[in-house]
Structure formats: structure tokens, C-alpha cells
CSV table of all heavy atoms in Angstrom, one decimal:
chain,number,residue,atom,x,y,z
A,129,MET,N,0.6,26.2,-15.9
A,129,MET,CA,1.9,26.7,-15.5
A,129,MET,C,2.9,26.4,-16.6
A,129,MET,O,2.8,25.3,-17.2
A,129,MET,CB,2.3,26.0,-14.2
A,129,MET,CG,3.7,26.4,-13.8
A,129,MET,SD,4.4,25.2,-12.6
A,129,MET,CE,3.7,25.8,-11.1
A,130,LYS,N,3.7,27.4,-16.9
A,130,LYS,CA,4.8,27.2,-17.8
A,130,LYS,C,6.1,27.5,-17.1
A,130,LYS,O,6.1,28.3,-16.1
A,130,LYS,CB,4.7,28.1,-19.0
A,130,LYS,CG,3.6,27.8,-19.9
A,130,LYS,CD,3.5,28.8,-21.1
A,130,LYS,CE,2.3,28.6,-22.0
A,130,LYS,NZ,2.2,27.3,-22.7
A,131,VAL,N,7.2,26.9,-17.5
A,131,VAL,CA,8.5,27.1,-16.8
A,131,VAL,C,9.6,27.2,-17.8
A,131,VAL,O,9.5,26.6,-18.9
A,131,VAL,CB,8.7,25.9,-15.8
A,131,VAL,CG1,8.9,24.6,-16.5
A,131,VAL,CG2,9.9,26.2,-14.8
A,132,GLU,N,10.6,28.0,-17.5
A,132,GLU,CA,11.8,28.1,-18.4
A,132,GLU,C,13.1,27.9,-17.6
A,132,GLU,O,13.1,28.1,-16.3
A,132,GLU,CB,11.8,29.5,-19.0
A,132,GLU,CG,10.7,29.8,-19.9
A,132,GLU,CD,10.8,31.3,-20.4
A,132,GLU,OE1,11.6,32.1,-19.9
A,132,GLU,OE2,10.0,31.6,-21.2
A,133,VAL,N,14.1,27.4,-18.2
A,133,VAL,CA,15.4,27.3,-17.6
A,133,VAL,C,16.4,28.3,-18.4
A,133,VAL,O,16.4,28.2,-19.6
A,133,VAL,CB,16.0,25.9,-17.6
A,133,VAL,CG1,17.4,25.8,-17.2
A,133,VAL,CG2,15.1,25.1,-16.7
A,134,ASP,N,17.1,29.1,-17.7
A,134,ASP,CA,18.1,29.9,-18.4
A,134,ASP,C,19.4,29.1,-18.5
A,134,ASP,O,20.1,28.9,-17.5
A,134,ASP,CB,18.4,31.2,-17.5
A,134,ASP,CG,19.4,32.2,-18.2
A,134,ASP,OD1,20.1,31.7,-19.1
A,134,ASP,OD2,19.4,33.3,-17.7
A,135,ASP,N,19.7,28.6,-19.7
A,135,ASP,CA,20.9,27.7,-19.8
A,135,ASP,C,22.2,28.5,-19.7
A,135,ASP,O,23.3,27.8,-19.6
A,135,ASP,CB,20.8,26.9,-21.1
A,135,ASP,CG,20.8,27.8,-22.4
A,135,ASP,OD1,21.0,29.0,-22.3
A,135,ASP,OD2,20.5,27.2,-23.5
A,136,ASP,N,22.2,29.8,-19.7
A,136,ASP,CA,23.4,30.5,-19.4
A,136,ASP,C,23.7,30.5,-17.9
A,136,ASP,O,24.9,30.8,-17.5
A,136,ASP,CB,23.3,32.0,-19.8
A,136,ASP,CG,23.3,32.2,-21.3
A,136,ASP,OD1,23.8,31.3,-22.0
A,136,ASP,OD2,22.7,33.2,-21.8
A,137,VAL,N,22.7,30.2,-17.1
A,137,VAL,CA,22.9,30.3,-15.6
A,137,VAL,C,22.9,28.9,-15.0
A,137,VAL,O,23.6,28.6,-14.0
A,137,VAL,CB,21.7,31.1,-15.0
A,137,VAL,CG1,21.8,31.1,-13.5
A,137,VAL,CG2,21.7,32.5,-15.5
A,138,CYS,N,22.2,27.9,-15.7
A,138,CYS,CA,22.1,26.6,-15.2
A,138,CYS,C,23.5,25.9,-15.0
A,138,CYS,O,24.3,26.0,-15.9
A,138,CYS,CB,21.3,25.7,-16.1
A,138,CYS,SG,21.3,24.0,-15.7
A,139,GLY,N,23.8,25.3,-13.9
A,139,GLY,CA,25.0,24.7,-13.6
A,139,GLY,C,25.0,23.2,-13.8
A,139,GLY,O,26.0,22.5,-13.6
A,140,GLY,N,23.8,22.7,-14.2
A,140,GLY,CA,23.7,21.2,-14.5
A,140,GLY,C,23.7,20.3,-13.3
A,140,GLY,O,24.0,19.2,-13.4
A,141,HIS,N,23.4,20.9,-12.2
A,141,HIS,CA,23.4,20.1,-10.9
A,141,HIS,C,22.4,19.0,-10.9
A,141,HIS,O,22.6,18.0,-10.2
A,141,HIS,CB,23.3,21.0,-9.7
A,141,HIS,CG,24.3,22.1,-9.7
A,141,HIS,ND1,24.0,23.4,-10.2
A,141,HIS,CD2,25.6,22.1,-9.3
A,141,HIS,CE1,25.0,24.1,-10.1
A,141,HIS,NE2,26.0,23.4,-9.5
A,142,GLY,N,21.3,19.2,-11.5
A,142,GLY,CA,20.2,18.1,-11.6
A,142,GLY,C,19.2,18.1,-10.5
A,142,GLY,O,18.4,17.2,-10.4
A,143,VAL,N,19.2,19.1,-9.7
A,143,VAL,CA,18.2,19.2,-8.6
A,143,VAL,C,16.8,19.1,-9.2
A,143,VAL,O,15.9,18.4,-8.8
A,143,VAL,CB,18.4,20.4,-7.7
A,143,VAL,CG1,17.2,20.5,-6.7
A,143,VAL,CG2,19.7,20.4,-7.1
A,144,CYS,N,16.6,19.9,-10.3
A,144,CYS,CA,15.3,20.0,-10.9
A,144,CYS,C,14.9,18.6,-11.5
A,144,CYS,O,13.7,18.2,-11.3
A,144,CYS,CB,15.3,21.0,-12.0
A,144,CYS,SG,16.6,20.8,-13.2
A,145,ALA,N,15.8,17.9,-12.1
A,145,ALA,CA,15.4,16.7,-12.8
A,145,ALA,C,15.1,15.6,-11.7
A,145,ALA,O,14.3,14.8,-11.9
A,145,ALA,CB,16.5,16.2,-13.7
A,146,SER,N,15.8,15.7,-10.6
A,146,SER,CA,15.6,14.7,-9.5
A,146,SER,C,14.2,15.0,-8.9
A,146,SER,O,13.6,14.0,-8.4
A,146,SER,CB,16.7,14.7,-8.5
A,146,SER,OG,16.7,15.9,-7.8
A,147,LEU,N,13.8,16.2,-8.9
A,147,LEU,CA,12.5,16.5,-8.2
A,147,LEU,C,11.3,16.4,-9.2
A,147,LEU,O,10.2,16.0,-8.9
A,147,LEU,CB,12.5,18.0,-7.8
A,147,LEU,CG,13.3,18.2,-6.5
A,147,LEU,CD1,13.4,19.7,-6.3
A,147,LEU,CD2,12.6,17.6,-5.3
A,148,ALA,N,11.5,16.7,-10.5
A,148,ALA,CA,10.5,16.6,-11.5
A,148,ALA,C,11.0,16.0,-12.8
A,148,ALA,O,11.2,16.7,-13.8
A,148,ALA,CB,9.9,18.0,-11.7
A,149,ARG,N,11.2,14.7,-12.8
A,149,ARG,CA,11.9,14.1,-13.9
A,149,ARG,C,11.0,14.1,-15.2
A,149,ARG,O,11.6,14.1,-16.3
A,149,ARG,CB,12.1,12.6,-13.5
A,149,ARG,CG,13.0,11.8,-14.5
A,149,ARG,CD,13.4,10.5,-13.8
A,149,ARG,NE,14.1,10.7,-12.5
A,149,ARG,CZ,15.4,11.1,-12.4
A,149,ARG,NH1,16.1,11.2,-13.4
A,149,ARG,NH2,15.9,11.2,-11.2
A,150,ASP,N,9.7,14.3,-15.1
A,150,ASP,CA,8.8,14.3,-16.2
A,150,ASP,C,8.8,15.7,-16.9
A,150,ASP,O,8.3,15.9,-18.0
A,150,ASP,CB,7.4,13.9,-15.9
A,150,ASP,CG,7.3,12.4,-15.5
A,150,ASP,OD1,8.2,11.7,-16.0
A,150,ASP,OD2,6.4,12.1,-14.8
A,151,VAL,N,9.4,16.7,-16.2
A,151,VAL,CA,9.4,18.1,-16.7
A,151,VAL,C,10.8,18.5,-17.2
A,151,VAL,O,10.9,19.2,-18.2
A,151,VAL,CB,8.9,19.0,-15.6
A,151,VAL,CG1,8.9,20.5,-16.1
A,151,VAL,CG2,7.4,18.7,-15.3
A,152,PHE,N,11.8,18.2,-16.4
A,152,PHE,CA,13.2,18.6,-16.8
A,152,PHE,C,14.0,17.5,-17.3
A,152,PHE,O,13.9,16.3,-16.8
A,152,PHE,CB,13.8,19.2,-15.5
A,152,PHE,CG,13.1,20.4,-14.9
A,152,PHE,CD1,12.3,20.3,-13.8
A,152,PHE,CD2,13.3,21.6,-15.5
A,152,PHE,CE1,11.7,21.3,-13.3
A,152,PHE,CE2,12.6,22.7,-15.0
A,152,PHE,CZ,11.8,22.6,-13.8
A,153,ASP,N,14.9,17.8,-18.2
A,153,ASP,CA,15.8,16.8,-18.8
A,153,ASP,C,17.2,17.3,-18.7
A,153,ASP,O,17.4,18.5,-18.9
A,153,ASP,CB,15.4,16.4,-20.2
A,153,ASP,CG,16.3,15.3,-20.8
A,153,ASP,OD1,16.6,14.4,-20.0
A,153,ASP,OD2,16.6,15.4,-21.9
A,154,LEU,N,18.2,16.5,-18.4
A,154,LEU,CA,19.5,17.0,-18.2
A,154,LEU,C,20.5,16.4,-19.2
A,154,LEU,O,21.7,16.5,-19.1
A,154,LEU,CB,20.0,16.6,-16.8
A,154,LEU,CG,20.8,17.6,-16.1
A,154,LEU,CD1,19.9,18.8,-15.8
A,154,LEU,CD2,21.3,17.1,-14.8
A,155,THR,N,20.0,15.8,-20.3
A,155,THR,CA,20.9,15.0,-21.2
A,155,THR,C,21.9,16.0,-21.9
A,155,THR,O,22.9,15.5,-22.4
A,155,THR,CB,20.1,14.2,-22.2
A,155,THR,OG1,19.2,15.1,-22.9
A,155,THR,CG2,19.4,13.1,-21.6
A,156,ALA,N,21.6,17.3,-22.1
A,156,ALA,CA,22.5,18.2,-22.8
A,156,ALA,C,23.6,18.7,-21.9
A,156,ALA,O,24.4,19.5,-22.3
A,156,ALA,CB,21.7,19.3,-23.4
A,157,GLY,N,23.6,18.3,-20.6
A,157,GLY,CA,24.6,18.9,-19.6
A,157,GLY,C,24.1,20.1,-18.9
A,157,GLY,O,24.7,20.6,-18.0
A,158,TYR,N,22.9,20.5,-19.3
A,158,TYR,CA,22.2,21.5,-18.6
A,158,TYR,C,20.7,21.2,-18.7
A,158,TYR,O,20.3,20.3,-19.5
A,158,TYR,CB,22.4,23.0,-19.1
A,158,TYR,CG,22.2,23.1,-20.6
A,158,TYR,CD1,20.9,23.4,-21.0
A,158,TYR,CD2,23.2,23.0,-21.5
A,158,TYR,CE1,20.6,23.6,-22.4
A,158,TYR,CE2,22.9,23.1,-22.9
A,158,TYR,CZ,21.7,23.4,-23.3
A,158,TYR,OH,21.4,23.5,-24.6
A,159,ALA,N,19.9,21.8,-17.9
A,159,ALA,CA,18.5,21.4,-17.8
A,159,ALA,C,17.7,22.0,-19.0
A,159,ALA,O,17.9,23.2,-19.4
A,159,ALA,CB,17.9,21.9,-16.5
A,160,VAL,N,16.9,21.2,-19.6
A,160,VAL,CA,15.9,21.7,-20.6
A,160,VAL,C,14.5,21.3,-20.1
A,160,VAL,O,14.4,20.3,-19.4
A,160,VAL,CB,16.2,21.1,-22.0
A,160,VAL,CG1,17.5,21.7,-22.6
A,160,VAL,CG2,16.1,19.6,-22.0
A,161,VAL,N,13.5,22.1,-20.5
A,161,VAL,CA,12.1,21.8,-20.1
A,161,VAL,C,11.6,21.0,-21.2
A,161,VAL,O,11.6,21.4,-22.4
A,161,VAL,CB,11.4,23.2,-19.9
A,161,VAL,CG1,9.9,22.8,-19.6
A,161,VAL,CG2,12.0,24.0,-18.8
A,162,LYS,N,11.0,19.9,-20.8
A,162,LYS,CA,10.4,18.9,-21.8
A,162,LYS,C,9.0,19.1,-22.2
A,162,LYS,O,8.5,18.5,-23.1
A,162,LYS,CB,10.6,17.5,-21.3
A,162,LYS,CG,11.9,17.0,-20.9
A,162,LYS,CD,12.0,15.5,-20.7
A,162,LYS,CE,11.4,15.0,-19.5
A,162,LYS,NZ,11.6,13.6,-19.3
A,163,VAL,N,8.3,20.0,-21.5
A,163,VAL,CA,6.9,20.2,-21.7
A,163,VAL,C,6.6,21.6,-22.0
A,163,VAL,O,7.3,22.5,-21.5
A,163,VAL,CB,6.1,19.7,-20.5
A,163,VAL,CG1,6.3,18.2,-20.3
A,163,VAL,CG2,6.4,20.5,-19.3
A,164,ASP,N,5.5,21.9,-22.8
A,164,ASP,CA,5.1,23.2,-23.0
A,164,ASP,C,4.3,23.7,-21.8
A,164,ASP,O,4.5,24.8,-21.3
A,164,ASP,CB,4.2,23.2,-24.3
A,164,ASP,CG,3.8,24.6,-24.6
A,164,ASP,OD1,4.6,25.6,-24.5
A,164,ASP,OD2,2.6,24.8,-24.9
A,165,GLU,N,3.4,22.9,-21.3
A,165,GLU,CA,2.6,23.2,-20.2
A,165,GLU,C,2.9,22.2,-19.1
A,165,GLU,O,2.8,20.9,-19.4
A,165,GLU,CB,1.1,23.1,-20.6
A,165,GLU,CG,0.2,23.7,-19.5
A,165,GLU,CD,0.1,25.2,-19.4
A,165,GLU,OE1,0.4,25.9,-20.4
A,165,GLU,OE2,-0.2,25.7,-18.4
A,166,VAL,N,3.2,22.6,-17.9
A,166,VAL,CA,3.5,21.7,-16.8
A,166,VAL,C,2.2,21.0,-16.4
A,166,VAL,O,1.2,21.7,-16.0
A,166,VAL,CB,4.1,22.5,-15.6
A,166,VAL,CG1,4.3,21.5,-14.4
A,166,VAL,CG2,5.4,23.1,-16.0
A,167,PRO,N,2.1,19.7,-16.4
A,167,PRO,CA,0.9,19.0,-15.9
A,167,PRO,C,0.7,19.4,-14.4
A,167,PRO,O,1.6,19.5,-13.6
A,167,PRO,CB,1.3,17.5,-16.1
A,167,PRO,CG,2.4,17.5,-17.1
A,167,PRO,CD,3.1,18.8,-16.9
A,168,LYS,N,-0.6,19.5,-14.1
A,168,LYS,CA,-1.0,19.9,-12.8
A,168,LYS,C,-0.3,19.1,-11.7
A,168,LYS,O,0.1,19.6,-10.7
A,168,LYS,CB,-2.6,19.7,-12.6
A,168,LYS,CG,-3.4,20.8,-13.3
A,168,LYS,CD,-3.7,21.9,-12.3
A,168,LYS,CE,-4.6,23.0,-12.9
A,168,LYS,NZ,-3.9,24.3,-12.8
A,169,GLU,N,-0.2,17.8,-12.0
A,169,GLU,CA,0.3,16.9,-10.9
A,169,GLU,C,1.8,17.1,-10.7
A,169,GLU,O,2.4,16.7,-9.7
A,169,GLU,CB,0.1,15.4,-11.2
A,169,GLU,CG,0.8,14.9,-12.5
A,169,GLU,CD,-0.1,15.0,-13.8
A,169,GLU,OE1,-0.9,15.9,-13.8
A,169,GLU,OE2,0.1,14.2,-14.7
A,170,HIS,N,2.5,17.9,-11.5
A,170,HIS,CA,3.9,18.2,-11.4
A,170,HIS,C,4.2,19.6,-10.9
A,170,HIS,O,5.3,20.0,-10.8
A,170,HIS,CB,4.7,17.9,-12.7
A,170,HIS,CG,4.6,16.4,-13.1
A,170,HIS,ND1,4.9,15.4,-12.3
A,170,HIS,CD2,4.3,15.9,-14.3
A,170,HIS,CE1,4.7,14.3,-12.9
A,170,HIS,NE2,4.3,14.5,-14.1
A,171,GLU,N,3.1,20.4,-10.8
A,171,GLU,CA,3.3,21.8,-10.4
A,171,GLU,C,4.1,22.0,-9.1
A,171,GLU,O,4.9,22.9,-9.0
A,171,GLU,CB,2.0,22.6,-10.4
A,171,GLU,CG,1.4,22.8,-11.8
A,171,GLU,CD,0.2,23.7,-11.8
A,171,GLU,OE1,-0.3,24.0,-10.8
A,171,GLU,OE2,-0.3,24.0,-13.0
A,172,ALA,N,3.7,21.2,-8.1
A,172,ALA,CA,4.4,21.4,-6.8
A,172,ALA,C,5.8,21.1,-6.9
A,172,ALA,O,6.7,21.8,-6.3
A,172,ALA,CB,3.7,20.5,-5.8
A,173,ALA,N,6.2,20.0,-7.6
A,173,ALA,CA,7.6,19.6,-7.8
A,173,ALA,C,8.4,20.7,-8.6
A,173,ALA,O,9.5,21.0,-8.3
A,173,ALA,CB,7.6,18.3,-8.5
A,174,VAL,N,7.7,21.3,-9.5
A,174,VAL,CA,8.4,22.4,-10.3
A,174,VAL,C,8.6,23.6,-9.4
A,174,VAL,O,9.7,24.2,-9.5
A,174,VAL,CB,7.6,22.7,-11.6
A,174,VAL,CG1,8.1,24.0,-12.2
A,174,VAL,CG2,7.6,21.6,-12.6
A,175,ARG,N,7.7,23.9,-8.6
A,175,ARG,CA,7.9,25.1,-7.7
A,175,ARG,C,9.0,24.7,-6.7
A,175,ARG,O,9.9,25.6,-6.4
A,175,ARG,CB,6.6,25.3,-6.9
A,175,ARG,CG,5.5,26.0,-7.7
A,175,ARG,CD,4.5,26.6,-6.8
A,175,ARG,NE,3.4,27.2,-7.6
A,175,ARG,CZ,2.3,26.6,-8.1
A,175,ARG,NH1,2.1,25.4,-7.7
A,175,ARG,NH2,1.5,27.2,-8.9
A,176,ALA,N,9.1,23.5,-6.2
A,176,ALA,CA,10.2,23.1,-5.4
A,176,ALA,C,11.5,23.2,-6.1
A,176,ALA,O,12.5,23.6,-5.5
A,176,ALA,CB,9.9,21.7,-4.8
A,177,ALA,N,11.5,22.8,-7.3
A,177,ALA,CA,12.8,22.8,-8.1
A,177,ALA,C,13.2,24.3,-8.3
A,177,ALA,O,14.4,24.6,-8.2
A,177,ALA,CB,12.6,22.2,-9.5
A,178,ALA,N,12.3,25.2,-8.6
A,178,ALA,CA,12.6,26.6,-8.7
A,178,ALA,C,13.2,27.2,-7.4
A,178,ALA,O,14.2,27.9,-7.4
A,178,ALA,CB,11.4,27.4,-9.2
A,179,ASP,N,12.6,26.8,-6.3
A,179,ASP,CA,13.1,27.2,-5.0
A,179,ASP,C,14.4,26.7,-4.7
A,179,ASP,O,15.3,27.4,-4.0
A,179,ASP,CB,12.1,26.8,-3.9
A,179,ASP,CG,10.8,27.6,-3.9
A,179,ASP,OD1,10.8,28.7,-4.6
A,179,ASP,OD2,9.8,27.2,-3.3
A,180,GLN,N,14.7,25.4,-5.1
A,180,GLN,CA,15.9,24.8,-4.7
A,180,GLN,C,17.0,24.8,-5.7
A,180,GLN,O,18.2,24.4,-5.4
A,180,GLN,CB,15.6,23.3,-4.3
A,180,GLN,CG,14.7,23.2,-3.1
A,180,GLN,CD,14.3,21.8,-2.8
A,180,GLN,OE1,15.1,20.8,-2.9
A,180,GLN,NE2,13.0,21.6,-2.4
A,181,CYS,N,16.8,25.3,-6.9
A,181,CYS,CA,17.9,25.4,-7.9
A,181,CYS,C,19.0,26.2,-7.3
A,181,CYS,O,18.8,27.4,-7.0
A,181,CYS,CB,17.3,26.0,-9.2
A,181,CYS,SG,18.6,26.4,-10.4
A,182,PRO,N,20.2,25.7,-7.3
A,182,PRO,CA,21.3,26.5,-6.7
A,182,PRO,C,21.7,27.7,-7.4
A,182,PRO,O,22.4,28.6,-6.8
A,182,PRO,CB,22.5,25.4,-6.6
A,182,PRO,CG,22.1,24.3,-7.5
A,182,PRO,CD,20.6,24.3,-7.6
A,183,THR,N,21.4,27.8,-8.7
A,183,THR,CA,21.8,29.0,-9.4
A,183,THR,C,20.6,29.9,-9.8
A,183,THR,O,20.7,30.8,-10.6
A,183,THR,CB,22.5,28.6,-10.7
A,183,THR,OG1,21.7,27.8,-11.5
A,183,THR,CG2,23.8,27.9,-10.3
A,184,TYR,N,19.4,29.6,-9.3
A,184,TYR,CA,18.2,30.3,-9.6
A,184,TYR,C,17.9,30.4,-11.1
A,184,TYR,O,17.6,31.5,-11.7
A,184,TYR,CB,18.2,31.7,-9.0
A,184,TYR,CG,18.5,31.6,-7.5
A,184,TYR,CD1,19.7,31.9,-6.9
A,184,TYR,CD2,17.5,31.2,-6.6
A,184,TYR,CE1,19.9,31.8,-5.6
A,184,TYR,CE2,17.7,31.1,-5.3
A,184,TYR,CZ,18.9,31.4,-4.7
A,184,TYR,OH,19.1,31.3,-3.4
A,185,ALA,N,18.2,29.3,-11.8
A,185,ALA,CA,18.0,29.3,-13.3
A,185,ALA,C,16.6,29.1,-13.7
A,185,ALA,O,16.3,29.2,-14.9
A,185,ALA,CB,19.0,28.3,-13.9
A,186,ILE,N,15.7,28.7,-12.8
A,186,ILE,CA,14.4,28.3,-13.2
A,186,ILE,C,13.4,29.4,-12.9
A,186,ILE,O,13.3,30.0,-11.8
A,186,ILE,CB,14.0,27.0,-12.4
A,186,ILE,CG1,14.9,25.9,-12.7
A,186,ILE,CG2,12.5,26.6,-12.7
A,186,ILE,CD1,14.7,24.7,-11.7
A,187,THR,N,12.6,29.7,-14.0
A,187,THR,CA,11.6,30.8,-13.8
A,187,THR,C,10.2,30.2,-14.2
A,187,THR,O,10.1,29.6,-15.3
A,187,THR,CB,11.9,32.0,-14.8
A,187,THR,OG1,13.2,32.4,-14.5
A,187,THR,CG2,10.9,33.1,-14.6
A,188,ILE,N,9.3,30.4,-13.3
A,188,ILE,CA,7.9,30.0,-13.6
A,188,ILE,C,7.3,31.2,-14.3
A,188,ILE,O,7.3,32.3,-13.8
A,188,ILE,CB,7.2,29.6,-12.4
A,188,ILE,CG1,7.8,28.3,-11.8
A,188,ILE,CG2,5.7,29.5,-12.6
A,188,ILE,CD1,7.3,28.0,-10.4
A,189,THR,N,6.8,31.0,-15.6
A,189,THR,CA,6.4,32.2,-16.4
A,189,THR,C,4.9,32.4,-16.4
A,189,THR,O,4.5,33.5,-16.8
A,189,THR,CB,6.9,32.0,-17.8
A,189,THR,OG1,6.4,30.8,-18.3
A,189,THR,CG2,8.4,32.0,-17.9
A,190,SER,N,4.2,31.5,-16.0
A,190,SER,CA,2.7,31.7,-15.9
A,190,SER,C,2.1,30.6,-15.0
A,190,SER,O,2.7,29.6,-14.7
A,190,SER,CB,2.1,31.7,-17.3
A,190,SER,OG,2.2,30.4,-17.9
B,313,LIG,S1,18.6,22.6,-10.5
B,313,LIG,FE1,19.0,24.6,-11.6
B,313,LIG,S2,21.2,24.5,-12.0
B,313,LIG,FE2,20.6,22.5,-11.5
B,313,LIG,S3,20.2,21.5,-13.5
B,313,LIG,FE3,18.2,22.3,-12.7
B,313,LIG,S4,18.1,24.4,-13.6
B,313,LIG,FE4,20.2,23.7,-13.8
């Protein structure tokens, strides 16, 4: 699985980082994806983050 964040849309709320801290980082004020490939053990958390992102900024690309 791969995931992207649209930084034009991200509001920096941090829902994603709270759900999947090993995948998303918020130090820039918006979310960035820290991994090229989402580790299997974090896939469910990434799907939850995509579902719960308030601005729908998260896209699962593969
Ligand atoms: S949950 Fe969505 S809006 Fe909030 S920091 Fe993550 S990507 Fe950005």
C-alpha cells in the first residue's frame, strides 16, 4: 500500500498522525508521509486515517 497527502487540502489537524504515527508526520504544520510503502501492520490505521481525515486530504494510491 502507498499513501499520499495533498498538502493544499490538509488542515494539519493531526488525526492521521494520532492514528498512524509511524506513517504520518506533522512537524511541517501539515501531514507528510514518512514511508514509501506502508508496512502491513499499519495498513488498517492508514485506512482509518483516510476515512477520518476531516478534509479528505489522504489518498491511498495502491
Ligand atoms: S488528518 Fe487530514 S487534515 Fe489532518 S493532518 Fe492528517 S491529512 Fe491533514
Side-chain angles (χ1 to χ4, degrees):
M129 174 196 278
K130 292 182 188 292
V131 66
E132 294 177 353
V133 170
D134 184 342
D135 59 11
D136 289 334
V137 177
C138 173
H141 305 95
V143 175
C144 54
S146 68
L147 287 168
R149 193 167 303 280
D150 291 334
V151 175
F152 300 101
D153 184 36
L154 222 66
T155 53
Y158 55 86
V160 294
V161 178
K162 299 197 287 188
V163 296
D164 182 44
E165 188 77 28
V166 176
K168 283 268 183 237
E169 66 268 28
H170 298 310
E171 287 187 353
V174 168
R175 286 196 182 91
D179 287 344
Q180 295 178 37
C181 172
T183 61
Y184 305 104
I186 300 172
T187 304
I188 294 168
T189 57
S190 66

